[in-house]
């Protein structure tokens, strides 16, 4: 029995309101950081410096925000996704881009965007969505 592991989880989520508030703070920070850093960030040491660096920043902050949103949903115990015409259209666009990437001749390029333009990749489209 792993009693110590279960005690850590209980002590970590003792006050779910504070954890949810911290996750909201992380979400807001990620959104503001994306708005500020993506237009300005570049790495001169990479081959395709503006595109690859911007994609790396975008993917990092989007997945950090997604992780914070998932933790908040688990702690609070519920989540909601609003269904409207825009979200359905976005989901159809993502599904069509996924099908196009799966049937592409260059699957690696279609998913990651490397060695060509990273902004044309499925990963970037998912992060933008």
């Amino acid at each position: 029995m792993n009693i110590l592991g279960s005690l850590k989880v209980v002590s970590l989520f003792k006050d779910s309101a504070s954890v949810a508030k911290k996750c909201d703070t992380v979400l807001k920070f990620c959104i503001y950081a994306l708005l500020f850093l993506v237009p300005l960030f570049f790495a001169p040491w990479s081959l395709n410096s503006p595109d690859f660096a911007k994609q790396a920043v975008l993917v990092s902050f989007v997945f950090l925000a997604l992780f914070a949103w998932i933790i908040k949903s688990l702690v609070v115990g519920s989540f909601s996704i609003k269904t409207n015409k825009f979200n359905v259209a976005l989901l159809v666009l993502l599904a069509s881009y996924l099908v196009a990437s799966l049937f592409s001749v260059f699957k690696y390029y279609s998913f990651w965007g490397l060695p060509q333009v990273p902004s044309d990749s499925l990963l970037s489209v998912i992060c933008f969505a």
Side-chain angles (χ1 to χ4, degrees), residues 24-61:
D24 280 337
T25 305
V26 169
L27 282 168
K28 287 180 184 178
F29 170 76
C30 287
I31 291 170
Y32 292 141
L34 279 172
L35 288 174
F36 179 73
L37 288 177
V38 169
L40 298 177
F41 193 75
F42 71 96
W45 56 84
S46 66
L47 218 59
N48 195 355
S49 61
D51 288 339
F52 180 72
K54 289 174 191 267
Q55 184 188 21
V57 169
L58 175 76
V59 169
S60 301
F61 280 109

Side-chain angles (χ1 to χ4, degrees), residues 2-129:
N2 191 359
I3 296 173
L4 186 60
S6 63
L7 289 176
K8 286 182 182 178
V9 171
V10 170
S11 66
L12 180 65
F13 297 122
K14 193 182 294 183
D15 186 19
S16 63
S18 68
V19 173
K21 192 173 183 178
K22 288 178 185 176
C23 287
D24 280 337
T25 305
V26 169
L27 282 168
K28 287 180 184 178
F29 170 76
C30 287
I31 291 170
Y32 292 141
L34 279 172
L35 288 174
F36 179 73
L37 288 177
V38 169
L40 298 177
F41 193 75
F42 71 96
W45 56 84
S46 66
L47 218 59
N48 195 355
S49 61
D51 288 339
F52 180 72
K54 289 174 191 267
Q55 184 188 21
V57 169
L58 175 76
V59 169
S60 301
F61 280 109
V62 165
F63 282 117
L64 180 65
L66 179 67
F67 185 67
W69 179 70
I70 290 172
I71 288 182
K72 179 186 170 194
S73 298
L74 289 174
V75 168
V76 172
S78 67
F79 74 97
S80 64
I81 298 175
K82 297 180 181 179
T83 56
N84 55 23
K85 291 179 184 179
F86 178 75
N87 288 342
V88 172
L90 188 62
L91 192 62
V92 168
L93 174 72
L94 288 175
S96 64
Y97 213 94
L98 176 67
V99 169
S101 295
L102 289 175
F103 290 112
S104 174
V105 175
F106 302 111
K107 289 180 176 59
Y108 184 80
Y109 165 69
S110 296
F111 185 75
W112 295 107
L114 300 172
Q116 299 294 325
V117 182
S119 61
D120 294 339
S121 67
L122 176 66
L123 186 64
S124 293
V125 171
I126 289 172
C127 289
F128 283 129

